[in-house]
């Protein structure tokens, strides 16, 4: 018999084999007696995650020996069944054979249920391979069909295989079609090409040849996978599997409808493959005109130029092959008149015009009607061949008015709601945190910790116990420590810890003066070289943590009244009236932040109310409301500042404060020469920095200075430059800046420009939304934004394949006049002699200029176009320069 003391000693100090031996021969009653002590042992180690993790393999074996039932065993093994590493002997520690042997020796009847439950708990994107291997062994042991859950299928795809294994267990073949239904599994198909069994796509033909898979089943599964809205990596796995099958012409003919269905919306790589297959089929066994026109209509409005050009060429070849069908083909070709790319429109027009003499009168009239979608010069060419062309529909009169800022949601009024909101707040990464939700949580923490500390502790403590990153220490060791990592996240955790402790000072006590511990904390903040806004947020969160514990307050003064971060002056005066009546002074950073959130315009009535209070805070508020909040906050508030740090062995300024100091973006000098601001910015290699302490909670930055968006844009420009290129865009920040108040200057223009060049489509869309907000407010100054935009294009720093479509969306939404003003100011900086070599895809920008200039009627000659327009040749850059010059001269 094994007692708990003996088993605990084996778990803590010995190995899996010893624990397994102790399980051998135990009776059901003896196993049951060990369950609760085992659970209590784990619960005791909850706060010591490292120790618990080091015991995971022995705990997995112990659980396999004493727990009863598939449900309890599933929870336990999901938690503890992980491989380990023997550092002393430099070899892996594999717990699956030991756990399996312990389970086998118990001779229980719930092992098939255990395999299925474990598979149900696996997640495709985070499948535990050790649990997956246990499921495999349980499948082999019990003879059940392999589970087909997403998580287990993803694990199976990552494992690879060999013919002997499939011959021994033909049941595994049932998982192959499911692999094409799980993104992670498709992604893993072409992974680890060095694996001895090869990749799955290379393996499928061998399984088919061996009679272990049905070829039609695999082909159907491949096509089904290609129809999924999956990431490109997953689609590449399915594509390789399709190609490895060496699909025959007969099979393509049988799956023609499946391939056509891929053309309108599938990823360009997938659609390109389908197009190639169908064209090859058409060349060997001509398709019907109905099928060809369906294919053409599906492809000709796609944005990928390569696909559209290939389709135009294909249809032109069909017109030569089948002259009797030329009218249907010409109508299909006219679909490309609606293309957004000018060169594709022009190519479609040229292709149609070559067929002009063969077309019927009815078809000519249809083509003339379709030409209304074309720019003015191309409409003229169509009109010459087919008769009068109806004028294009007028562009929208202007963007819709910008919506009014939203009010803040009601405050959190219970501890239960507060804890639920904290959980919702941190469901994603801190960079994407909802700033409105953050402000509500901070206000709720302060007020509920003041009014219901016991109730808050009751609901918060169980949540905190589940997370090892919330240490269960006293406030002194967390909120004011001299040897820890400091950022916004650590200080928010400090707030949670403070709320779990009893306050050490009575309500209304003065905020504690600086002491040695405080100065050590400030030194830590300096050590991490935080940019100004990050430093300000970190200090504010730290102040809240300390204040909850050492200077409790009933309210947080700086909580905004609107979603942009502004505070109504009368409401702030009321909050200070409460402070005066109750005999407490606001915390320093809380008051400073509140003053920074006031509107720009003076408010004499609220100023008088504040002056009547007779308190220092009331006097500060009265002074600010009398003067208005239009002064430069970084100079006066002391919350934000410039930083300098050592990087790569030399001193470098890593914020744009040095630009602000030498070239003030709001100064008259910059207003006269807007490129002075962008021209002072470093080249890209100088921006390839990473702060020692990565900025978190960026989404909260605009709400810090809601009446000074240009100042905050100055701080954010480096972030936009770096993060838009790394795939971590910040589109929401751009919208927040646009919705804020204050002057619009070149820094905001630069931030929006980098947003238009963002890697992620959603971020580019957000940049367009931000520009539309400015346009709807009459604040989109194209002449101000244009020079910086042009300078960056001329440097080659903006990928125009991303920027041009985003600008077209902006024009389509009604901001054409403002956008043309921006392009007219930008283009001279992108053309010789301002640049030695025009940027890649500059022709797209010139083509957009042709459309906008034709729509707006604002046409002033642009002499810089001559150097390109006078060149010989027919490249798109030269052609579009000529078109724009002609439009501007008309």
């Amino acid at each position: 018999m094994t007692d708990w003391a003996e088993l605990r000693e084996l778990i803590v100090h010995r190995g899996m084999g010893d624990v397994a031996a102790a399980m051998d021969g135990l009776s059901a009653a003896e196993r049951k007696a060990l369950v609760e002590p085992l659970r209590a042992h784990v619960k005791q180690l909850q706060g010591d995650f490292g120790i618990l993790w080091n015991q995971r393999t022995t705990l997995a074996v112990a659980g396999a020996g004493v727990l009863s039932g598939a449900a309890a065993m599933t929870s336990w093994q999901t938690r503890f069944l992980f491989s380990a590493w023997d550092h002393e002997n430099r070899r892996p520690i594999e717990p699956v054979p030991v756990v399996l042997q312990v389970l086998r020796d118990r001779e229980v009847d719930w092992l098939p249920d255990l395999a299925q439950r474990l598979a149900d708990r696996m997640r495709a994107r985070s499948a535990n391979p050790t649990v997956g291997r246990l499921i495999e062994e349980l499948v082999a042991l019990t003879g059940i069909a392999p589970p087909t859950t997403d998580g287990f299928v993803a694990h199976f795809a990552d494992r690879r295989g060999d013919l002997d294994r499939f011959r021994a267990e033909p049941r595994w073949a049932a998982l192959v079609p499911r692999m094409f239904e799980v993104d992670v599994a498709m992604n893993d198909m072409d992974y680890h090409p060095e694996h001895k069994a090869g990749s799955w796509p290379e393996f499928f033909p061998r399984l088919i040849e061996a009679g272990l898979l049905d070829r039609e089943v695999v082909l159907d599964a491949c096509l089904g996978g290609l129809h999924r809205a999956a990431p490109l990596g997953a689609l590449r796995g399915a594509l390789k599997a399709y190609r490895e099958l060496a699909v025959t012409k007969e099979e393509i003919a049988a799956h023609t409808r499946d391939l056509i269905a891929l053309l309108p919306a599938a990823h360009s790589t997938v659609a390109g493959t389908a197009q190639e297959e169908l064209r090859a089929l058409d060349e060997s066994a001509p398709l019907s005109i109905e099928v060809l026109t369906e294919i053409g209509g599906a492809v000709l409005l796609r944005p990928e130029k390569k696909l559209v050009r290939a389709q135009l060429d294909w249809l032109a070849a069909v017109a030569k092959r089948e002259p009797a069908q030329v009218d249907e083909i010409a109508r299909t070709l006219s679909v490309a008149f609606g293309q957004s790319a000018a060169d594709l429109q022009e190519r479609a027009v040229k292709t149609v015009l070559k067929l002009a003499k063969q077309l019927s009168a009815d078809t000519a009239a249809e083509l003339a009607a379709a030409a209304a979608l074309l720019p003015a010069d191309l409409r003229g060419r169509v009109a010459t061949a087919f008769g009068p062309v109806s004028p294009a529909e007028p562009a929208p009169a202007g963007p819709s008015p910008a919506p009014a800022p939203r009010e803040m949601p009601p405050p959190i009024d219970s501890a239960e709601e507060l804890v639920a909101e904290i959980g919702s707040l941190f469901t994603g990464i801190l960079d994407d945190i909802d700033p409105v939700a953050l402000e509500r949580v901070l206000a709720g923490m302060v007020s509920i910790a003041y009014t219901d500390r016991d109730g808050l502790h009751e609901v918060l403590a169980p949540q905190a116990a589940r997370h090892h990153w919330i240490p269960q220490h006293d406030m002194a060791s967390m909120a004011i420590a001299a040897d820890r990592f400091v950022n916004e996240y650590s200080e928010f955790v400090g707030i949670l810890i403070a709320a779990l402790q009893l306050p050490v000072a009575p309500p209304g006590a003065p905020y504690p003066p600086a002491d040695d511990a405080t100065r050590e904390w400030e030194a830590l903040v300096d050590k991490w070289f935080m940019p100004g806004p990050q430093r300000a947020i970190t200090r504010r969160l730290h102040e809240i943590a300390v204040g909850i514990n050492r200077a409790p307050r009933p309210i947080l003064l700086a909580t905004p009244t609107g979603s942009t971060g502004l505070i109504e002056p009368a409401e702030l005066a009321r909050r200070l009236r409460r402070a005066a009546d109750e005999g407490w002074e606001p915390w320093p950073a809380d008051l400073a932040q509140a003053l920074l959130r006031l509107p720009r315009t003076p408010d004499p009535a609220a100023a008088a109310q504040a002056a009547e209070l007779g308190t220092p805070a009331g006097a500060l508020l009265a002074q600010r409301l009398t003067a208005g909040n239009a002064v430069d906050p970084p100079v006066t508030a002391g919350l934000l500042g410039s930083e300098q740090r050592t990087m790569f062995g030399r001193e470098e300024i890593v914020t744009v404060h040095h630009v602000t100091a030498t070239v003030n973006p709001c100064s008259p000098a910059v207003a006269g020469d807007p490129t002075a601001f962008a021209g002072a910015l470093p080249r890209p290699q100088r921006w390839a920095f990473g702060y020692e302490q990565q900025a978190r909670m960026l989404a909260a930055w605009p709400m810090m200075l809601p009446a000074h968006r240009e100042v905050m844009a100055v701080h954010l420009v480096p972030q936009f430059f770096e993060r838009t290129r790394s795939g971590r865009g910040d589109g929401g920040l751009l919208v927040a800046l646009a919705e804020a108040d204050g002057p619009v200057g070149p820094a905001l223009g630069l931030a929006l420009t980098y947003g238009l060049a963002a890697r992620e489509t959603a971020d580019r869309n957000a940049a367009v939304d931000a520009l539309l907000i400015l346009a709807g407010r009459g604040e989109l100054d194209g002449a101000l934004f244009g020079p910086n935009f042009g300078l960056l294009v001329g440097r080659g720093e903006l990928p125009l394949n991303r920027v041009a479509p985003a600008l077209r969306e902006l024009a389509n939404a009604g901001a054409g006049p403002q956008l043309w003003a921006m392009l007219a100011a930008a283009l001279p900086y992108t053309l010789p002699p301002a640049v030695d070599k025009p940027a890649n895809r500059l022709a797209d920008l010139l083509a957009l200029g042709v459309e906008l200039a034709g729509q707006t009627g604002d046409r002033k000659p642009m002499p810089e176009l001559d150097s390109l327009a006078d060149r010989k040749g027919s490249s798109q850059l030269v052609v579009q320069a000529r078109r724009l010059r002609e439009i501007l001269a008309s």
Side-chain angles (χ1 to χ4, degrees):
M1 175 180 178
T2 301
D3 63 16
W4 166 244
E6 178 185 349
L7 180 59
R8 182 185 180 282
E9 177 68 18
L10 297 175
I11 291 171
V12 175
H13 299 294
R14 304 296 291 273
M16 296 184 298
D18 294 319
V19 176
M23 300 292 102
D24 190 28
L26 291 179
S27 67
E30 290 170 333
R31 297 180 194 275
K32 184 176 181 180
L34 292 170
V35 171
E36 286 308 314
L38 179 63
R39 293 188 185 278
H41 172 70
V42 170
K43 187 174 182 180
Q44 184 181 7
L45 295 177
Q46 288 278 54
D48 259 314
F49 180 76
I51 295 176
L52 195 62
W53 181 247
N54 289 336
Q55 296 178 18
R56 63 190 182 277
T57 55
T58 51
L59 286 170
V61 174
V66 304
L67 295 170
S68 295
M73 189 66 70
T74 297
S75 296
W76 189 271
Q77 297 302 339
T78 299
R79 185 176 183 185
F80 294 114
L81 188 62
F82 291 87
S83 297
W85 181 257
D86 184 343
H87 293 279
E88 183 177 347
N89 297 309
R90 294 183 172 274
R91 60 181 178 83
I93 300 173
E94 177 55 72
V96 168
V98 183
V99 169
L100 183 71
Q101 185 61 48
V102 171
L103 290 171
R104 188 204 311 259
D105 291 345
R106 294 182 64 179
E107 298 182 350
V108 294
D109 60 1
W110 39 260
L111 293 185
D113 188 23
L114 173 62
Q116 185 61 53
R117 286 174 178 269
L118 287 171
D120 290 339
R121 290 283 292 269
M122 294 184 81
R123 296 293 175 263
R125 295 195 177 278
S126 56
N128 179 351
T130 313
V131 171
R133 290 193 292 276
L134 177 60
I135 296 171
E136 290 182 51
E137 297 297 337
L138 289 172
V139 168
L141 176 65
T142 61
I144 62 173
T148 58
T149 64
D150 287 3
F152 184 68
V153 170
H155 162 80
F156 178 76
D158 189 52
R159 284 275 280 164
R160 306 295 179 272
D162 54 60
L163 285 174
D164 291 339
R165 180 187 182 197
F166 274 79
R167 287 193 180 100
E169 290 286 353
R171 295 171 295 165
W172 294 120
L175 295 184
V176 170
R178 279 284 291 132
M179 290 168 61
F180 291 91
E181 299 172 359
V182 180
D183 291 352
V184 177
M186 281 204 300
N187 190 73
D188 284 342
M189 282 184 186
D190 197 25
Y191 196 54
H192 299 314
E194 73 280 2
H195 193 279
K196 65 179 181 180
S199 66
W200 278 109
E202 296 164 341
F203 193 43
F204 292 145
R206 297 164 57 195
L207 291 172
I208 293 169
E209 184 180 352
L212 299 172
L213 280 179
D214 182 88
R215 179 180 175 86
E216 185 62 26
V217 169
V218 178
L219 179 55
D220 285 341
C222 281
L223 291 169
L226 293 175
H227 277 90
R228 291 175 55 80
L232 179 57
L235 294 173
R236 283 176 177 155
L239 270 177
K240 182 164 185 181
Y242 178 86
R243 289 168 181 153
E244 289 290 336
L245 289 176
V247 182
T248 66
K249 292 291 191 298
E250 292 75 18
E251 288 173 323
I252 295 173
H255 289 278
T256 297
R257 302 309 311 174
D258 295 325
L259 293 168
I260 291 175
L262 291 170
L263 296 175
H267 190 279
S268 60
T269 305
V270 175
T273 298
Q275 185 188 47
E276 292 169 3
E277 294 282 73
L278 290 167
R279 185 168 186 179
L281 178 63
D282 180 54
E283 290 172 351
S284 63
L287 299 171
S288 68
I289 191 63
E290 293 78 15
V291 171
L292 288 168
T293 55
E294 182 182 0
I295 292 171
V299 174
L300 289 177
L301 283 180
R302 287 189 65 107
E304 299 88 0
K305 292 186 176 184
K306 180 180 178 181
L307 297 182
V308 176
R309 286 194 292 263
Q311 195 63 43
L312 291 172
D313 293 344
W314 181 3
L315 290 173
V318 172
K320 290 182 180 179
R321 185 184 75 199
E322 303 182 35
Q325 305 294 342
V326 72
D327 285 290
E328 287 295 327
I329 293 169
R331 293 190 189 101
T332 304
L333 288 167
S334 69
V335 171
F337 290 177
Q339 266 289 335
S340 60
D343 57 324
L344 296 179
Q345 289 178 319
E346 184 178 19
R347 188 164 182 156
V349 168
K350 287 181 178 179
T351 306
V352 167
L353 291 179
K354 290 178 181 179
L355 307 176
K357 295 180 180 180
Q358 303 170 252
L359 301 178
S360 67
D362 289 343
T363 299
E366 289 185 36
L367 294 175
L373 298 171
L374 297 168
D377 56 339
L378 295 180
R379 290 202 305 269
R381 292 167 64 179
V382 174
T384 301
F386 302 124
V389 175
S390 302
E393 292 185 11
S400 302
R406 304 178 306 279
E407 293 185 357
M408 287 285 288
I412 297 171
D413 58 6
S414 72
E416 292 78 9
E417 182 187 1
L418 176 61
V419 172
E421 286 295 320
I422 292 172
S424 300
L425 189 65
F426 292 100
T427 54
I429 59 175
L430 287 177
D431 307 55
D432 297 330
I433 202 166
D434 180 352
V436 171
L438 175 64
E439 289 293 340
R440 290 185 73 234
V441 164
L442 294 178
M445 288 295 296
V446 170
S447 62
I448 294 174
Y450 185 91
T451 59
D452 187 15
R453 180 68 69 100
D454 291 340
L456 179 58
H457 186 279
E458 182 179 348
V459 295
L460 182 59
Q463 297 296 324
R466 294 190 177 98
H467 302 287
H468 68 275
W469 43 266
I470 303 180
Q472 304 301 299
H473 302 312
D474 59 46
M475 189 61 200
S477 66
M478 190 65 190
I480 308 179
D483 58 351
R484 65 182 177 87
F485 189 82
V486 174
N487 65 5
E488 306 93 308
Y489 181 71
S490 70
E491 299 314 305
F492 188 88
V493 172
I495 294 174
L496 300 181
I497 295 171
L500 290 169
Q501 312 299 323
L502 293 175
V504 297
Y511 190 83
D515 55 15
D516 289 343
T518 305
R519 284 184 283 272
E520 289 173 350
W521 185 87
E522 289 286 350
L524 272 179
V525 174
D526 293 337
K527 168 186 174 182
W528 289 112
F529 302 105
M530 299 181 188
Q534 182 187 15
R535 182 188 298 253
I537 290 176
T538 302
R539 281 192 174 127
R540 183 176 178 229
L541 295 174
H542 181 76
E543 181 187 77
I544 292 171
V546 174
I548 285 175
N549 200 256
R550 301 188 175 192
R553 297 288 185 267
I555 59 172
L556 194 61
L557 204 67
T559 303
T561 55
S563 61
T564 65
L566 289 173
I567 295 180
E568 288 290 336
E571 173 59 25
L572 184 53
R574 280 193 292 271
R575 293 174 187 175
L576 286 181
R577 165 63 66 186
R578 177 178 178 179
D581 292 345
E582 296 176 0
W584 52 268
E585 282 290 328
W587 299 330
D590 187 27
L591 177 59
Q593 178 63 86
L595 295 176
L596 290 175
R597 285 178 166 164
L598 290 169
R600 298 179 65 82
T601 55
D603 190 326
Q609 295 174 16
E612 292 173 357
L613 298 178
T615 63
L620 281 174
L621 177 59
Q623 180 183 4
R624 181 60 64 93
L625 291 176
T626 300
N629 193 23
V631 279
D632 186 10
V635 174
T636 60
L639 258 180
L640 308 177
S642 59
E643 301 81 33
Q644 182 170 316
R645 60 161 291 185
T646 301
M647 181 176 170
F648 305 127
R650 63 181 184 277
E651 290 293 319
E652 289 224 11
I653 303 294
V654 296
T655 74
V656 292
H657 280 289
H658 69 297
V659 179
T660 311
T662 58
V663 187
N664 186 337
C666 303
S667 71
V670 172
D673 179 14
T675 61
F677 183 65
L681 296 179
R683 290 284 179 163
Q685 58 268 26
R686 288 286 306 282
W687 289 67
F689 65 84
Y691 288 105
E692 243 349 279
Q693 172 58 278
Q694 182 184 2
R696 302 286 189 179
M697 296 188 183
L698 280 173
W701 287 21
M703 288 185 75
M704 298 173 64
L705 296 174
H708 299 271
R709 55 184 161 190
E710 180 70 2
V711 174
M712 190 52 70
V714 168
H715 287 272
L716 284 168
V717 162
Q719 302 287 342
F720 284 118
F721 182 92
E722 288 299 316
R723 291 155 67 93
T724 55
R725 281 155 176 74
S726 66
R728 300 174 54 200
D730 298 283
L733 278 169
L734 293 173
V735 174
L737 287 173
E739 289 179 338
D741 198 7
V744 174
L748 181 54
L750 277 173
L752 290 166
T753 296
Y754 288 133
L756 291 170
R759 180 177 176 180
E760 298 295 324
T761 302
D763 297 316
R764 298 197 294 275
N765 292 340
V768 172
D769 290 341
L771 287 162
L772 286 172
I773 290 171
L774 295 179
R777 293 180 175 183
E779 297 173 335
L780 180 53
D781 187 345
L784 176 64
F785 286 8
N788 284 334
F789 176 78
L791 187 66
L792 295 178
V793 171
R795 286 182 178 180
E797 296 177 17
L798 299 180
L800 292 181
N801 62 316
R802 301 176 188 171
V803 173
L807 292 180
R808 191 174 295 278
E809 290 293 326
L810 184 63
N812 292 340
Q818 297 95 325
L819 181 54
W820 171 238
M822 176 176 159
L823 287 181
L827 287 174
Y829 295 92
T830 70
L831 301 167
V835 297
D836 295 329
K837 181 181 178 181
N840 186 35
R841 303 287 291 268
L842 182 63
D844 292 351
L845 219 56
L846 295 174
L848 180 58
V850 171
E851 295 180 31
L852 295 176
Q855 291 174 8
T856 64
D858 180 11
R859 304 173 187 176
K860 297 178 183 178
M862 191 179 293
E864 293 85 356
L865 288 167
D866 293 341
S867 61
L868 288 180
D870 291 338
R871 290 182 183 178
K872 296 180 180 180
S874 58
S875 70
Q876 277 301 306
L877 186 61
V878 172
V879 169
Q880 300 307 330
R882 290 172 187 162
R883 292 180 66 204
L884 183 55
R885 183 172 66 174
E886 291 172 7
I887 287 284
L888 296 180
S890 63

